[in-house]
Amino acid sequence: MPDLLPFLISGLGVGAVYALSGVGLVVLYRSSGVLNFAFGALGAVAAYVAWSALDHEWPLVLAVLAAVATSVAISLAYGRLLAPYLAEREPTVRSIGTLGLALVVLGLTEWFWGEQPRRLVLPTDSGAIEFADVRLTYTRVLGLVTAVSMMAAVGLLLARTRIGLAMRALADQRGLSAILGIRVLQVDTAAWVISGAFAGVCGLLLGNIVRLQATVLTFLVIPAFAAAIIGRLSSLPVTVAAGLGVGMLEAVAVLAPGFSPFRTATPFLIALLAIVSWRDVSRKA
Amino acid sequence: MNIKLHSFIAATALLASGAAMAQGKPVCGLNNGKAASGEPIALGAVVGKTGPDDFSASALASQAYFKCVNANGGINGRPVELTIVDDQWNPEVAAQAAAKLVKDRKVLAMVGSSSFVECGVNAKLYAQEDVMVIAGVGVPRECFFAKNYAPVNAGPRVSATVVAMYAAQTYKAKKMVCVIPNIPSLGNWACDGAKDWGKANGVDVDVIAIDPGSPDATSTMLQAAAKKPDAIILNVPKGIMVPMLAAAEQQGLAKKIHFVSSTPAYNFDVPKTIGAAWNGNFDIHLEFMPVESAGADNLNWKATMDAYGGKTDPRDSFAQAGYLAARIATEALLKMDPKKIDRAGVSAALRGVKGFKSDILCRPFYVGDGARHNANSSGPIAQVSGNGFKQVSQGCLMAADPELSDLRGQEKKLGL
């Protein structure tokens, strides 16, 4: 029985970013009722913008800011210009709308930056902590820390702040909330901005940890969804735990003879299991 | 005095013509500077342009060479018309492309094709219609096991075998791991050359088939390293190879294990992308002599591209392959009676190709009438050096893959 521990630890790196993406997805869902399929694509374009900025010798801070600003801008543009047209439709339709956005952003990213192999190198790559025969670069540790702290921060935002309350009200009953005087536009903006910012940060981390390639990054939204679905689209701690779990399972799956060449199926299988087991809540999803 | 002057002038003239060749006067076909104007000879090429990667450089180079031929007397007066079709990496589209070229356009041969998907789909059609394909680049197993398909490149199985042999020779590696994507006709074939060679030579080669879409390169590297190999052979496309090397670097494997790769890593973006940890630390098998080599034919290839190719056409090893394919076809066609060029004659002429020499190739190319073709089975080894590559092998290594034994027999018979 080969040693599982190195793979579990290594899976924590990617799992942390799945967890963070899951939190970003749940935030938007709880504040607008939309499942954002474009999360991965926005992350991809942010990662490429950061790569281009670093390639042009920009300082890291400016590159990261540019990257996150890009994803926020696209997210905001969609949220304010296109999403309102779908605001009165069922959640399914609104979510598929974001799939359209994902495909457009993916296409533009691939067309603009092309197919040549690239690597997004961040300064946190150079240091690492050694644990059970595996080295976790500081980037992955950063991902883990960010996931947990964001989970706490977003939880606080939604539960304890006025804008959090407004977001939840809007997601529940949009028309009624508007009548009650909740400033719909302002709250919507906040929700899409937060989601865009999450997407940008996750894109940077995944672009570094996984691969700087638009299609791969866009479809990493699927494992994030698996995490969000297991968290029943409401519980942030469970989402984070699920994200870490999916990452670790996918890493360990490399040791399963016969299954290993197909292990990208792991998040799908987990999501499927979750949907079947929690049918009442996941019907919404 | 007179003799000295005479030889001085002769030497200068030689230098000047050599320099002219190096400077962009390509030599092709009949080389008589006369534009060809007879009845066109229809040739075709199927390339995977739109999709995971752009393989069209091969056909573009063939097209450049044929343009040069057409400007220099054509095929005994007849121009060549090369029709290039994009199969979009889709087997269905590839089948339609071949049908269009073979049945509608009635091409006499296919030259410079480079597609990942068309070999399996179209091999039967080519055999049925007796169309010979001198492909630039073939990848899956079916490209090297078809009666009418002769790729100019070596293929991933040969490439991995040669680089494994190099690792055993140079690093005295006794245990290796070969990483291959789990794609049909690749995952169960392309690393087995190294494995079978290893079995016959006391080297243990383990094969890991990976999910090409997997976002987790670290686990794959950990899994490979857990087998405690002396060398790891990466036999994957460069888009997957880069994150693997990044993961290996992060896990500190770059200093512990020798990393080598088959030919997809030979791309001029790779050294800068993979970073300084791999400087002088990553060896790659090349299917042809390096792109910057100074051989006369290699320089002629560059000159042809500069004079007749598009400005954005890549000048990489795919283009070298396309140029060679076009040169092979041209030389075979020039031997035929220009009034009697038909498909059967062309196929026979192409099958008769043997002893085709070029300094871009390590050994002479041949086609023959065997049931399969893999004439390019050797190559030099280059190493990542600074922002580029440098050749580290003394000349070329020839693959000792047991599966090639039928072809070695054929080569002996042809006297090669």
Side-chain angles (χ1 to χ4, degrees), chain B residues 235-295:
Chain B
N235 198 2
V236 298
K238 58 185 189 290
I240 300 179
M241 180 208 76
V242 168
M244 284 191 173
L245 288 182
E249 184 188 339
Q250 285 174 1
Q251 296 303 317
L253 298 174
K255 304 193 187 86
K256 293 193 218 153
I257 303 175
H258 294 286
F259 276 79
V260 297
S261 167
S262 55
T263 205
Y266 184 59
N267 174 292
F268 284 87
D269 293 317
V270 165
K272 206 173 90 165
T273 310
I274 57 182
W278 304 99
N279 189 1
N281 202 9
F282 188 48
D283 303 305
I284 303 164
H285 164 253
L286 271 47
E287 293 180 314
F288 308 105
M289 294 312 277
V291 162
E292 3 32 84
S293 58

Side-chain angles (χ1 to χ4, degrees), chain B residues 367-397:
Chain B
V367 178
D369 48 14
R372 77 184 196 92
H373 308 276
N374 195 348
N376 183 351
S377 59
S378 41
I381 308 286
Q383 190 179 70
V384 168
S385 171
N387 270 350
F389 301 90
K390 72 166 197 260
Q391 187 175 336
V392 288
S393 63
Q394 296 275 60
C396 308
L397 277 86

Side-chain angles (χ1 to χ4, degrees), chain A residues 75-107:
Chain A
S75 182
L76 193 59
Y78 179 82
R80 288 291 295 268
L81 299 173
L82 289 172
Y85 286 102
L86 298 171
E88 301 303 313
R89 310 289 299 275
E90 322 90 66
T92 319
V93 174
R94 287 189 278 153
S95 306
I96 299 296
T98 60
L99 183 61
L101 176 66
L103 294 174
V104 169
V105 172
L106 171 61

Side-chain angles (χ1 to χ4, degrees), chain A residues 138-157:
Chain A
Y138 286 150
T139 317
R140 293 170 191 243
V141 176
L142 183 67
L144 204 50
V145 166
T146 315
V148 174
S149 53
M150 279 299 112
M151 166 190 87
V154 169
L156 275 170
L157 173 83

